[in-house]
Amino acid sequence: LGIAKRESESFISAALGEPARALGEPARALGGLLSDKINARRHRNLIKITAEARRSLAEAGVSPREVPLSIIHPALVAASLEENPDMQKTWENLLANATDPRNPNPMPSVFPAILKELSYREVRLLDAVVRNEGPGEVQGISPPNLLRLYQRYVPKKRRHRGPVEAKQWPKRQTDNKREMEEYLVTLDVLVRNQLLSEKLYTYRKGLYDVPAPDGLGSNYFLSQLGRAFVAACQPPKKRVSPKRRTQSRT
């Protein structure tokens, strides 16, 4: 814990543009996240996430840079509240990319606010959309295919296997209904944050684009905001050595 705490303080110090000794009274700098016993859980979360972000940058061969307070402060506060291990990894990547000196422009300040509103379900589904998006895709993803991605990539605590006895049908129907409700909420959250956009599916008929027949409905597209947000939540790219770059060119 001691090493992680030192790495955490080093990361925050660099991101805030303050010397490490400025963290001696973190109650004034970060609302007591590093010393207040009431916030012990947030303290542990913040140490873990920022220490891993620092290590990710070290593996990429760079050190964290100073970040505007309007970006780094809400990001640190929001990250300290996250206890899901999968989401903590996403926060690690976001913080590492925000402080990566190789990125010429500051990260959009809306990214921490968006991630704060997402659960692992939204992050998993969004990542699945990116990984399964075909090159030059113009028709988007149909609702049935999007549901299949959700069922494939978003883990469930319970999953029925094999035949189901008659007495188990009511419970299975309840579970299926709950899963569908979670999926629809997940989809609504992504659309509300404008990470996915919903458009009416049309097809070409002669000289005109006409609405699709009933039953096909709307398709979902990854927005430019969504694409940039997903990229910001990926691990920092590792630095390519000059020798390796020369070899790849030859």
Side-chain angles (χ1 to χ4, degrees):
L1 182 60
I3 296 177
K5 186 175 181 180
R6 287 195 297 272
E7 290 183 339
S8 171
E9 292 179 351
S10 174
F11 176 87
I12 297 174
S13 175
L16 292 175
E18 297 289 342
R21 63 178 179 274
L23 295 174
E25 293 294 338
R28 289 197 296 268
L30 293 172
L33 297 183
L34 301 180
S35 65
D36 194 341
K37 293 182 179 180
I38 298 176
N39 291 314
R41 288 164 65 180
R42 297 175 68 183
H43 181 193
R44 289 193 298 268
N45 293 337
L46 190 61
I47 286 180
K48 177 182 178 182
I49 291 171
T50 53
E52 289 299 325
R54 177 69 179 85
R55 290 168 188 165
S56 295
L57 291 175
E59 291 176 358
V62 296
S63 299
R65 66 173 177 183
E66 182 178 349
V67 179
L69 198 60
S70 60
I71 298 174
I72 195 63
H73 183 267
L76 291 173
V77 172
S80 72
L81 297 171
E82 186 56 66
E83 296 185 295
N84 181 285
D86 291 336
M87 291 300 295
Q88 285 183 338
K89 184 62 181 176
T90 305
W91 277 107
E92 293 165 13
N93 294 337
L94 187 76
L95 287 170
N97 283 307
T99 56
D100 191 333
R102 297 171 297 179
N103 297 329
N105 300 317
M107 175 179 290
S109 59
V110 72
F111 281 5
I114 290 177
L115 185 55
K116 183 181 178 181
E117 292 198 7
L118 304 186
S119 71
Y120 77 95
R121 290 192 296 270
E122 288 84 39
V123 171
R124 286 286 186 90
L125 181 57
L126 195 62
D127 186 59
V129 170
V130 173
R131 286 190 281 129
N132 288 272
E133 187 180 37
E137 188 141 1
V138 296
Q139 297 297 346
I141 302 177
S142 66
N145 287 337
L146 196 59
L147 177 58
R148 293 189 190 99
L149 287 179
Y150 180 85
Q151 293 171 332
R152 179 180 178 183
Y153 289 100
V154 179
K156 293 291 176 292
K157 294 181 180 179
R158 301 178 301 275
R159 189 174 294 278
H160 296 282
R161 298 180 183 274
V164 180
E165 298 179 5
K167 64 180 180 180
Q168 294 177 321
W169 271 108
K171 183 178 184 301
R172 179 165 184 175
Q173 290 176 332
T174 300
D175 289 345
N176 289 342
K177 180 180 179 182
R178 184 181 299 113
E179 180 179 355
M180 180 57 67
E181 290 174 349
E182 290 178 351
Y183 164 72
L184 293 175
V185 169
T186 298
L187 191 55
D188 284 346
V189 170
L190 292 176
V191 172
R192 185 173 75 86
N193 282 282
Q194 301 182 26
L195 302 174
L196 287 181
S197 60
E198 183 180 8
K199 298 180 182 179
L200 182 66
Y201 178 77
T202 61
Y203 70 99
R204 197 73 174 176
K205 186 175 182 180
L207 299 176
Y208 305 97
D209 290 331
V210 298
D214 292 341
L216 292 182
S218 301
N219 279 3
Y220 292 90
F221 296 77
L222 188 67
S223 67
Q224 283 300 115
L225 175 65
R227 202 177 301 277
F229 177 77
V230 170
C233 293
Q234 301 302 311
K237 294 181 180 180
K238 294 186 177 181
R239 174 185 292 176
V240 179
S241 64
K243 181 179 179 181
R244 186 174 179 182
R245 189 182 297 113
T246 302
Q247 292 175 347
S248 63
R249 290 177 179 175
T250 57

